Amino acid sequence: MKYENVCEVYEALESTTKRLEKTRIIAEFLRKAKVEDLPAVVLLLQGRLFPNWDERKIGVASKLVAKAIVLTTGLSKDRIEKEWKKTGDLGTVAENLVKVKSQATLSRHELDVKKVFENLRKLATLEGAGTVDRKLKLIAELLTSATPLEARFIVRTILEVLRVGTGEGTMRDAIAWAFFEKEMGFMYKEEDIEVEDRERYNRYIGAVQHAYDVTNDFSAVAESAKKDGLEGLDKEAITVGKPIKVMLALKAEDIEDGLERVDRPCAVEFKYDGFRMQIHKKGAEVKIFTRRLEEVTSQFSEVVPLIRSHVKADACILDSEGVGYNPKTGRYLPFQHISQRIKRKYGIGEMATELPIEINIFDIVYHNGKSLLNENYEDRYAILKKIVKAEKKKIGLAEHIITDSKKEIEAFLQKSLKQGNEGLMLKNLKAPYKPGARVGHMVKLKPVLETLDLVVVGAEWGEGKRAKWLSSYIVACKDGDEWKEVGRVSSGLKEKESEGVTYEEMTRELKSLVVEEKGRSVIVKPKIVIEVIYEEIQQSPSYTSGFALRFPRIISVRSEKPASEATTLKQMENLYKKQKK
Ligand code: AMP
């Protein structure tokens, strides 16, 4: 197949924002493609060279691509950079300049999909001395043979900014439409599809989805659909060593809401503030993946022997949360701490001693040759319980109860928070494991942040549109008879009257309280109490309270509340400690 054909599809996809139309374009194209071209075509259409789970990255910076354009067209670096600034897209630059150039020279060979795909893949695998030069040559070689249109998409693929809008859902449906059009009993009409039998239609879409869930690779899925039909898709299985997508959680408003979503009784577990670890074991071989399917086995090499010695299974895939803790006190540390370990390439051994982690296993999706995706959660859990040997502060099952009592859940939540966890997870006992989906088989329950009632002690005149208002407020908490500042807040009030308390009203009120004016700032009598929400309380030397707020926002003006009842410094300290845990 000619690469140009793929580029024509890109163009067609770009020309519409309608999902059904995109699906149709891809489906028709895949139906026509030969089996041997399918894998490359499916990946290229997604702007990828490797499936999701594959570690290899193209790793080419835009500067290098700009250089390749210089090399191919013979035009000056300045010219390229000027065009780049103008369009903001190197793909378009390549297209325009190859157009200018090819009229003059015409040294083109026809580009074949496989040739383009293989050359691009080589970019990701080159290593060692002279790599940059070799990459430059590979890109230039492609661009020299490319038509202007091809040049645009080669560059965009290299830079991983294809922008034709083929999401996972579109690709899934397109594969089903392409290979099972008749069997599904549907017709594509402009702007719509007509389905004779929804159940049958969904059966095919579901089969493609299943195959994708376990392989994370639409190129393999398309190939299997074309070659072996529905049966092939159904047979696609989890492979130990290849990550699968993890199941995601929905959010519950409160305990009652959570219980309604997962049914009673349910499993309730601590929600640890660490990072998701999908652990694969096959004999003595252990691999660890993040929720984004990146392999992190070498960063957490101390986990490997632990799995070997504490998990009794020939082969399994476990879902767990690794949480960092302070080795001196044993207390859990927030996620930011171990996030350093994920990125770490060197000095891994030291990090493991300084920032040890505890593995809390909470699910199992594969066990000794059998996928457990369609088993109930309670049955999966029963297997887990049998095969994991716990060791304190190293490895074990997530703290877990089964209950239908709100009271018990509330008490469990307090216990979880007290230990420094984020909250709870509630899980449906009868639910299967749905990779990559947020279907509500498990829901998270986190305590709502308490808002602060702070007193406005100063303000500043705004700028631009807000120049006529005092629009930024210095707020403080109460410390005995004193006011201790905790920062500034300027968002949350309204500009128009009908929408709530306005900056104008606030300005009027504050003007009557001004005790001192200095440039654009005023100091006011501490009278007005505002309710402030924020993302985090941080320690800060910038304000007299010693604290500052991250992303503060006014949610109401508490005209009913006297300043004497404002949040105290002591309360702030407690909230800070609680949040830190
Ligand atoms: P969130 O990231 O806020 O959507 O919450 C879901 C995340 O909580 C999961 O992806 C896990 O990384 C983490 N988590 C912590 N403890 C558990 C648990 N017991 N069960 C499931 N997920 C958990």
Side-chain angles (χ1 to χ4, degrees), residues 33-88:
K34 290 205 200 100
V35 170
E36 64 262 29
D37 287 327
L38 256 188
V41 165
V42 170
L43 285 169
L44 286 172
L45 284 179
Q46 298 172 88
R48 317 183 68 101
L49 298 174
F50 303 101
N52 239 340
W53 54 267
D54 196 307
E55 286 281 281
R56 287 171 291 179
K57 297 268 171 329
I58 308 177
V60 171
S62 28
K63 280 238 169 70
L64 191 70
V65 174
K67 250 189 180 169
I69 301 175
V70 172
L71 197 66
T72 318
T73 58
L75 297 167
S76 73
K77 191 171 152 228
D78 282 353
R79 169 93 189 263
I80 311 274
E81 276 181 357
K82 218 169 91 198
E83 293 274 331
W84 189 3
K85 272 218 184 89
K86 211 165 71 191
T87 60

Short mmCIF file of all heavy atoms in Angstrom, two decimals, residues 33-88:
data_model
loop_
_atom_site.label_atom_id
_atom_site.label_comp_id
_atom_site.label_asym_id
_atom_site.label_seq_id
_atom_site.Cartn_x
_atom_site.Cartn_y
_atom_site.Cartn_z
N ALA A 33 -7.82 -2.69 3.26
CA ALA A 33 -6.38 -2.93 3.45
C ALA A 33 -6.05 -4.42 3.45
O ALA A 33 -6.85 -5.24 3.89
CB ALA A 33 -5.93 -2.30 4.76
N LYS A 34 -4.87 -4.76 2.94
CA LYS A 34 -4.44 -6.16 2.96
C LYS A 34 -4.01 -6.54 4.38
O LYS A 34 -3.52 -5.69 5.13
CB LYS A 34 -3.23 -6.33 2.03
CG LYS A 34 -3.57 -6.19 0.58
CD LYS A 34 -2.50 -6.97 -0.23
CE LYS A 34 -2.46 -6.51 -1.66
NZ LYS A 34 -1.36 -5.58 -1.95
N VAL A 35 -4.15 -7.82 4.70
CA VAL A 35 -3.79 -8.27 6.04
C VAL A 35 -2.38 -7.84 6.42
O VAL A 35 -2.13 -7.37 7.54
CB VAL A 35 -3.89 -9.81 6.15
CG1 VAL A 35 -3.27 -10.28 7.45
CG2 VAL A 35 -5.32 -10.24 6.11
N GLU A 36 -1.46 -7.97 5.49
CA GLU A 36 -0.07 -7.67 5.86
C GLU A 36 0.17 -6.18 6.13
O GLU A 36 1.13 -5.81 6.79
CB GLU A 36 0.93 -8.23 4.83
CG GLU A 36 0.83 -7.63 3.44
CD GLU A 36 0.00 -8.52 2.50
OE1 GLU A 36 -0.90 -9.23 3.01
OE2 GLU A 36 0.26 -8.49 1.29
N ASP A 37 -0.70 -5.33 5.60
CA ASP A 37 -0.54 -3.90 5.87
C ASP A 37 -1.29 -3.45 7.12
O ASP A 37 -1.04 -2.38 7.66
CB ASP A 37 -1.06 -3.07 4.69
CG ASP A 37 -0.13 -3.15 3.49
OD1 ASP A 37 1.09 -3.24 3.71
OD2 ASP A 37 -0.63 -3.12 2.35
N LEU A 38 -2.23 -4.27 7.55
CA LEU A 38 -3.13 -3.84 8.63
C LEU A 38 -2.42 -3.32 9.89
O LEU A 38 -2.74 -2.22 10.36
CB LEU A 38 -4.07 -4.97 9.02
CG LEU A 38 -5.52 -4.91 8.53
CD1 LEU A 38 -6.31 -6.03 9.20
CD2 LEU A 38 -6.17 -3.57 8.82
N PRO A 39 -1.48 -4.12 10.46
CA PRO A 39 -0.89 -3.66 11.72
C PRO A 39 -0.27 -2.26 11.60
O PRO A 39 -0.54 -1.39 12.43
CB PRO A 39 0.17 -4.71 12.02
CG PRO A 39 -0.29 -5.93 11.30
CD PRO A 39 -1.00 -5.45 10.07
N ALA A 40 0.51 -2.05 10.54
CA ALA A 40 1.15 -0.74 10.39
C ALA A 40 0.11 0.34 10.20
O ALA A 40 0.17 1.42 10.82
CB ALA A 40 2.11 -0.76 9.19
N VAL A 41 -0.90 0.06 9.38
CA VAL A 41 -1.90 1.06 9.08
C VAL A 41 -2.69 1.47 10.34
O VAL A 41 -2.91 2.64 10.61
CB VAL A 41 -2.86 0.52 7.99
CG1 VAL A 41 -4.12 1.36 7.91
CG2 VAL A 41 -2.16 0.49 6.64
N VAL A 42 -3.06 0.46 11.12
CA VAL A 42 -3.84 0.75 12.33
C VAL A 42 -3.04 1.61 13.31
O VAL A 42 -3.54 2.58 13.87
CB VAL A 42 -4.33 -0.55 13.00
CG1 VAL A 42 -4.93 -0.27 14.36
CG2 VAL A 42 -5.36 -1.24 12.11
N LEU A 43 -1.77 1.28 13.47
CA LEU A 43 -0.94 2.09 14.36
C LEU A 43 -0.77 3.49 13.80
O LEU A 43 -0.93 4.50 14.51
CB LEU A 43 0.42 1.43 14.58
CG LEU A 43 0.40 0.22 15.53
CD1 LEU A 43 1.72 -0.52 15.48
CD2 LEU A 43 0.11 0.67 16.96
N LEU A 44 -0.44 3.59 12.51
CA LEU A 44 -0.22 4.91 11.91
C LEU A 44 -1.47 5.78 12.01
O LEU A 44 -1.37 6.98 12.25
CB LEU A 44 0.21 4.76 10.45
CG LEU A 44 1.65 4.29 10.24
CD1 LEU A 44 1.91 3.99 8.77
CD2 LEU A 44 2.67 5.31 10.75
N LEU A 45 -2.63 5.18 11.83
CA LEU A 45 -3.86 5.98 11.92
C LEU A 45 -4.05 6.56 13.31
O LEU A 45 -4.70 7.58 13.49
CB LEU A 45 -5.09 5.14 11.54
CG LEU A 45 -5.27 4.89 10.05
CD1 LEU A 45 -6.50 4.03 9.80
CD2 LEU A 45 -5.39 6.21 9.28
N GLN A 46 -3.48 5.90 14.29
CA GLN A 46 -3.56 6.44 15.65
C GLN A 46 -2.38 7.36 15.96
O GLN A 46 -2.21 7.81 17.09
CB GLN A 46 -3.53 5.31 16.68
CG GLN A 46 -4.69 4.36 16.60
CD GLN A 46 -4.43 3.18 17.54
OE1 GLN A 46 -4.77 3.22 18.70
NE2 GLN A 46 -3.80 2.14 17.03
N GLY A 47 -1.53 7.57 14.95
CA GLY A 47 -0.36 8.41 15.18
C GLY A 47 0.68 7.71 16.02
O GLY A 47 1.49 8.34 16.69
N ARG A 48 0.66 6.38 16.01
CA ARG A 48 1.59 5.64 16.84
C ARG A 48 2.48 4.76 15.98
O ARG A 48 2.13 4.42 14.85
CB ARG A 48 0.87 4.68 17.79
CG ARG A 48 -0.34 5.17 18.48
CD ARG A 48 -0.84 4.09 19.41
NE ARG A 48 0.12 3.92 20.48
CZ ARG A 48 -0.04 4.43 21.69
NH1 ARG A 48 -1.12 5.09 21.99
NH2 ARG A 48 0.88 4.28 22.61
N LEU A 49 3.59 4.35 16.56
CA LEU A 49 4.45 3.39 15.89
C LEU A 49 4.50 2.10 16.68
O LEU A 49 4.88 1.05 16.18
CB LEU A 49 5.86 3.95 15.76
CG LEU A 49 5.93 5.22 14.91
CD1 LEU A 49 7.32 5.80 14.94
CD2 LEU A 49 5.51 4.92 13.49
N PHE A 50 4.12 2.19 17.94
CA PHE A 50 4.15 1.03 18.82
C PHE A 50 2.85 0.98 19.59
O PHE A 50 2.24 2.01 19.83
CB PHE A 50 5.31 1.15 19.82
CG PHE A 50 6.64 1.33 19.16
CD1 PHE A 50 7.22 2.59 19.06
CD2 PHE A 50 7.30 0.25 18.60
CE1 PHE A 50 8.43 2.77 18.44
CE2 PHE A 50 8.52 0.42 17.98
CZ PHE A 50 9.08 1.67 17.88
N PRO A 51 2.45 -0.24 19.97
CA PRO A 51 1.24 -0.29 20.79
C PRO A 51 1.46 0.38 22.14
O PRO A 51 2.61 0.62 22.54
CB PRO A 51 0.98 -1.79 20.95
CG PRO A 51 2.23 -2.48 20.55
CD PRO A 51 2.94 -1.57 19.63
N ASN A 52 0.35 0.62 22.77
CA ASN A 52 0.31 1.25 24.08
C ASN A 52 1.31 0.74 25.10
O ASN A 52 1.91 1.49 25.85
CB ASN A 52 -1.06 0.90 24.66
CG ASN A 52 -1.84 2.14 24.97
OD1 ASN A 52 -1.25 3.20 25.10
ND2 ASN A 52 -3.13 2.01 25.08
N TRP A 53 1.43 -0.58 25.16
CA TRP A 53 2.21 -1.18 26.23
C TRP A 53 3.69 -1.20 25.91
O TRP A 53 4.51 -1.52 26.76
CB TRP A 53 1.75 -2.63 26.46
CG TRP A 53 1.76 -3.46 25.22
CD1 TRP A 53 0.72 -3.65 24.37
CD2 TRP A 53 2.87 -4.17 24.66
NE1 TRP A 53 1.09 -4.42 23.31
CE2 TRP A 53 2.41 -4.77 23.46
CE3 TRP A 53 4.20 -4.37 25.04
CZ2 TRP A 53 3.23 -5.55 22.66
CZ3 TRP A 53 5.01 -5.13 24.22
CH2 TRP A 53 4.53 -5.71 23.05
N ASP A 54 4.04 -0.87 24.67
CA ASP A 54 5.44 -0.96 24.26
C ASP A 54 6.22 0.24 24.79
O ASP A 54 5.78 1.38 24.68
CB ASP A 54 5.51 -1.01 22.73
CG ASP A 54 6.85 -1.49 22.24
OD1 ASP A 54 7.86 -0.91 22.66
OD2 ASP A 54 6.89 -2.43 21.43
N GLU A 55 7.37 -0.04 25.36
CA GLU A 55 8.16 1.00 26.00
C GLU A 55 8.83 1.96 25.02
O GLU A 55 9.18 3.08 25.36
CB GLU A 55 9.29 0.35 26.81
CG GLU A 55 8.85 -0.29 28.06
CD GLU A 55 8.64 0.75 29.15
OE1 GLU A 55 9.63 1.19 29.73
OE2 GLU A 55 7.48 1.12 29.39
N ARG A 56 9.02 1.49 23.80
CA ARG A 56 9.82 2.29 22.87
C ARG A 56 9.13 3.61 22.51
O ARG A 56 7.93 3.65 22.30
CB ARG A 56 10.11 1.49 21.60
CG ARG A 56 11.14 0.40 21.83
CD ARG A 56 11.26 -0.50 20.65
NE ARG A 56 10.07 -1.32 20.48
CZ ARG A 56 9.92 -2.19 19.48
NH1 ARG A 56 10.85 -2.30 18.56
NH2 ARG A 56 8.83 -2.91 19.40
N LYS A 57 9.92 4.66 22.48
CA LYS A 57 9.38 5.98 22.15
C LYS A 57 10.17 6.53 20.96
O LYS A 57 11.34 6.21 20.80
CB LYS A 57 9.58 6.95 23.33
CG LYS A 57 8.84 6.55 24.59
CD LYS A 57 7.47 7.19 24.64
CE LYS A 57 6.57 6.71 25.73
NZ LYS A 57 6.63 5.38 26.23
N ILE A 58 9.53 7.36 20.15
CA ILE A 58 10.23 7.90 18.99
C ILE A 58 11.38 8.81 19.44
O ILE A 58 12.48 8.74 18.92
CB ILE A 58 9.27 8.68 18.07
CG1 ILE A 58 8.06 7.80 17.74
CG2 ILE A 58 9.97 9.14 16.80
CD1 ILE A 58 7.00 8.48 16.92
N GLY A 59 11.11 9.65 20.38
CA GLY A 59 12.17 10.47 20.99
C GLY A 59 12.93 11.36 20.03
O GLY A 59 14.16 11.40 20.05
N VAL A 60 12.19 12.07 19.19
CA VAL A 60 12.87 13.02 18.30
C VAL A 60 12.36 14.42 18.63
O VAL A 60 11.15 14.66 18.65
CB VAL A 60 12.58 12.69 16.82
CG1 VAL A 60 13.08 13.79 15.91
CG2 VAL A 60 13.23 11.36 16.44
N ALA A 61 13.30 15.34 18.87
CA ALA A 61 12.90 16.70 19.23
C ALA A 61 12.57 17.50 17.97
O ALA A 61 13.09 17.20 16.88
CB ALA A 61 14.02 17.38 19.99
N SER A 62 11.74 18.53 18.13
CA SER A 62 11.36 19.30 16.95
C SER A 62 12.56 19.98 16.28
O SER A 62 12.58 20.17 15.07
CB SER A 62 10.27 20.32 17.27
OG SER A 62 10.32 20.72 18.60
N LYS A 63 13.58 20.32 17.09
CA LYS A 63 14.78 20.94 16.51
C LYS A 63 15.42 20.04 15.44
O LYS A 63 15.87 20.50 14.40
CB LYS A 63 15.82 21.20 17.61
CG LYS A 63 15.55 22.42 18.42
CD LYS A 63 16.75 23.38 18.32
CE LYS A 63 16.42 24.74 18.91
NZ LYS A 63 16.27 24.69 20.37
N LEU A 64 15.44 18.74 15.76
CA LEU A 64 16.06 17.80 14.82
C LEU A 64 15.24 17.70 13.53
O LEU A 64 15.79 17.62 12.43
CB LEU A 64 16.21 16.42 15.48
CG LEU A 64 17.07 15.43 14.70
CD1 LEU A 64 18.54 15.84 14.75
CD2 LEU A 64 16.91 14.01 15.24
N VAL A 65 13.93 17.72 13.70
CA VAL A 65 13.07 17.67 12.52
C VAL A 65 13.28 18.92 11.67
O VAL A 65 13.38 18.85 10.44
CB VAL A 65 11.58 17.54 12.94
CG1 VAL A 65 10.67 17.62 11.73
CG2 VAL A 65 11.36 16.22 13.67
N ALA A 66 13.41 20.07 12.35
CA ALA A 66 13.66 21.32 11.61
C ALA A 66 14.96 21.19 10.80
O ALA A 66 15.03 21.59 9.63
CB ALA A 66 13.74 22.50 12.58
N LYS A 67 15.95 20.58 11.43
CA LYS A 67 17.23 20.37 10.74
C LYS A 67 17.05 19.48 9.51
O LYS A 67 17.65 19.73 8.46
CB LYS A 67 18.20 19.68 11.69
CG LYS A 67 19.32 20.57 12.17
CD LYS A 67 20.28 19.68 12.90
CE LYS A 67 21.47 20.46 13.42
NZ LYS A 67 22.26 19.65 14.34
N ALA A 68 16.25 18.45 9.68
CA ALA A 68 16.02 17.52 8.57
C ALA A 68 15.33 18.25 7.42
O ALA A 68 15.60 17.97 6.25
CB ALA A 68 15.18 16.33 9.03
N ILE A 69 14.46 19.19 7.77
CA ILE A 69 13.79 19.96 6.70
C ILE A 69 14.81 20.84 5.97
O ILE A 69 14.79 20.94 4.74
CB ILE A 69 12.62 20.82 7.27
CG1 ILE A 69 11.60 19.91 7.97
CG2 ILE A 69 11.95 21.62 6.17
CD1 ILE A 69 10.46 20.65 8.67
N VAL A 70 15.73 21.41 6.73
CA VAL A 70 16.81 22.19 6.11
C VAL A 70 17.60 21.31 5.14
O VAL A 70 17.83 21.66 3.98
CB VAL A 70 17.79 22.76 7.18
CG1 VAL A 70 19.01 23.40 6.55
CG2 VAL A 70 17.06 23.75 8.08
N LEU A 71 17.95 20.13 5.62
CA LEU A 71 18.76 19.21 4.83
C LEU A 71 18.02 18.77 3.55
O LEU A 71 18.61 18.70 2.47
CB LEU A 71 19.06 17.98 5.69
CG LEU A 71 20.19 17.07 5.26
CD1 LEU A 71 21.52 17.79 5.36
CD2 LEU A 71 20.23 15.82 6.16
N THR A 72 16.74 18.51 3.69
CA THR A 72 15.98 18.02 2.54
C THR A 72 15.74 19.10 1.50
O THR A 72 15.86 18.88 0.29
CB THR A 72 14.57 17.55 2.98
OG1 THR A 72 14.69 16.84 4.19
CG2 THR A 72 13.91 16.70 1.94
N THR A 73 15.37 20.27 1.97
CA THR A 73 14.94 21.30 1.02
C THR A 73 16.10 22.18 0.57
O THR A 73 15.98 22.88 -0.44
CB THR A 73 13.88 22.22 1.66
OG1 THR A 73 14.45 22.81 2.83
CG2 THR A 73 12.64 21.44 2.03
N GLY A 74 17.20 22.17 1.34
CA GLY A 74 18.31 23.05 1.00
C GLY A 74 18.01 24.50 1.31
O GLY A 74 18.78 25.41 0.98
N LEU A 75 16.88 24.75 1.96
CA LEU A 75 16.55 26.14 2.32
C LEU A 75 17.24 26.51 3.63
O LEU A 75 17.67 25.63 4.38
CB LEU A 75 15.04 26.29 2.46
CG LEU A 75 14.25 26.02 1.17
CD1 LEU A 75 12.77 25.87 1.45
CD2 LEU A 75 14.49 27.15 0.17
N SER A 76 17.34 27.79 3.90
CA SER A 76 18.11 28.22 5.07
C SER A 76 17.35 27.94 6.36
O SER A 76 16.13 27.85 6.39
CB SER A 76 18.40 29.70 4.99
OG SER A 76 17.21 30.41 5.24
N LYS A 77 18.14 27.81 7.43
CA LYS A 77 17.58 27.57 8.75
C LYS A 77 16.65 28.73 9.13
O LYS A 77 15.58 28.51 9.72
CB LYS A 77 18.76 27.48 9.74
CG LYS A 77 18.37 26.99 11.08
CD LYS A 77 19.62 26.71 11.91
CE LYS A 77 19.27 26.91 13.38
NZ LYS A 77 20.22 27.71 14.13
N ASP A 78 17.06 29.94 8.78
CA ASP A 78 16.23 31.13 9.10
C ASP A 78 14.86 31.03 8.47
O ASP A 78 13.85 31.33 9.08
CB ASP A 78 16.92 32.40 8.61
CG ASP A 78 18.03 32.81 9.55
OD1 ASP A 78 18.13 32.15 10.61
OD2 ASP A 78 18.77 33.74 9.22
N ARG A 79 14.88 30.62 7.22
CA ARG A 79 13.62 30.52 6.48
C ARG A 79 12.67 29.52 7.17
O ARG A 79 11.50 29.79 7.37
CB ARG A 79 13.95 30.07 5.05
CG ARG A 79 12.76 29.66 4.21
CD ARG A 79 12.24 30.84 3.39
NE ARG A 79 10.98 30.51 2.75
CZ ARG A 79 10.86 30.11 1.49
NH1 ARG A 79 11.95 29.97 0.73
NH2 ARG A 79 9.68 29.84 0.97
N ILE A 80 13.26 28.37 7.54
CA ILE A 80 12.45 27.34 8.21
C ILE A 80 11.89 27.88 9.52
O ILE A 80 10.71 27.72 9.83
CB ILE A 80 13.31 26.08 8.51
CG1 ILE A 80 14.10 25.63 7.29
CG2 ILE A 80 12.49 24.97 9.15
CD1 ILE A 80 13.46 24.73 6.33
N GLU A 81 12.76 28.56 10.27
CA GLU A 81 12.31 29.04 11.58
C GLU A 81 11.24 30.10 11.46
O GLU A 81 10.32 30.17 12.28
CB GLU A 81 13.51 29.52 12.40
CG GLU A 81 14.12 28.31 13.06
CD GLU A 81 15.31 28.57 13.95
OE1 GLU A 81 15.75 29.73 14.06
OE2 GLU A 81 15.79 27.56 14.51
N LYS A 82 11.38 30.92 10.43
CA LYS A 82 10.37 31.96 10.20
C LYS A 82 9.01 31.32 9.91
O LYS A 82 7.99 31.70 10.48
CB LYS A 82 10.80 32.86 9.03
CG LYS A 82 10.45 34.31 9.28
CD LYS A 82 11.09 35.24 8.28
CE LYS A 82 10.17 35.45 7.11
NZ LYS A 82 10.87 35.98 5.93
N GLU A 83 9.03 30.34 9.04
CA GLU A 83 7.78 29.65 8.69
C GLU A 83 7.19 28.95 9.92
O GLU A 83 5.98 28.89 10.10
CB GLU A 83 8.05 28.59 7.62
CG GLU A 83 8.46 29.14 6.29
CD GLU A 83 7.24 29.50 5.44
OE1 GLU A 83 6.20 28.86 5.62
OE2 GLU A 83 7.36 30.43 4.62
N TRP A 84 8.08 28.40 10.70
CA TRP A 84 7.66 27.65 11.89
C TRP A 84 6.94 28.60 12.85
O TRP A 84 5.86 28.29 13.37
CB TRP A 84 8.91 27.04 12.54
CG TRP A 84 8.66 26.06 13.65
CD1 TRP A 84 7.44 25.63 14.09
CD2 TRP A 84 9.64 25.41 14.45
NE1 TRP A 84 7.61 24.74 15.12
CE2 TRP A 84 8.96 24.58 15.37
CE3 TRP A 84 11.04 25.43 14.49
CZ2 TRP A 84 9.63 23.80 16.31
CZ3 TRP A 84 11.69 24.64 15.43
CH2 TRP A 84 10.99 23.84 16.32
N LYS A 85 7.54 29.77 13.05
CA LYS A 85 6.91 30.78 13.93
C LYS A 85 5.54 31.16 13.40
O LYS A 85 4.59 31.35 14.14
CB LYS A 85 7.79 32.03 14.01
CG LYS A 85 8.82 31.96 15.09
CD LYS A 85 9.01 33.30 15.79
CE LYS A 85 10.13 33.18 16.81
NZ LYS A 85 11.45 33.47 16.22
N LYS A 86 5.49 31.30 12.07
CA LYS A 86 4.25 31.77 11.45
C LYS A 86 3.11 30.75 11.61
O LYS A 86 2.00 31.09 11.97
CB LYS A 86 4.51 32.03 9.96
CG LYS A 86 3.65 33.13 9.38
CD LYS A 86 4.17 33.61 8.03
CE LYS A 86 3.96 32.57 6.95
NZ LYS A 86 4.67 32.88 5.71
N THR A 87 3.43 29.48 11.37
CA THR A 87 2.35 28.48 11.37
C THR A 87 2.24 27.73 12.70
O THR A 87 1.20 27.17 13.01
CB THR A 87 2.60 27.40 10.30
OG1 THR A 87 3.85 26.78 10.59
CG2 THR A 87 2.63 27.98 8.91
N GLY A 88 3.32 27.71 13.47
CA GLY A 88 3.30 27.00 14.74
C GLY A 88 3.26 25.49 14.57
O GLY A 88 3.03 24.77 15.53
#
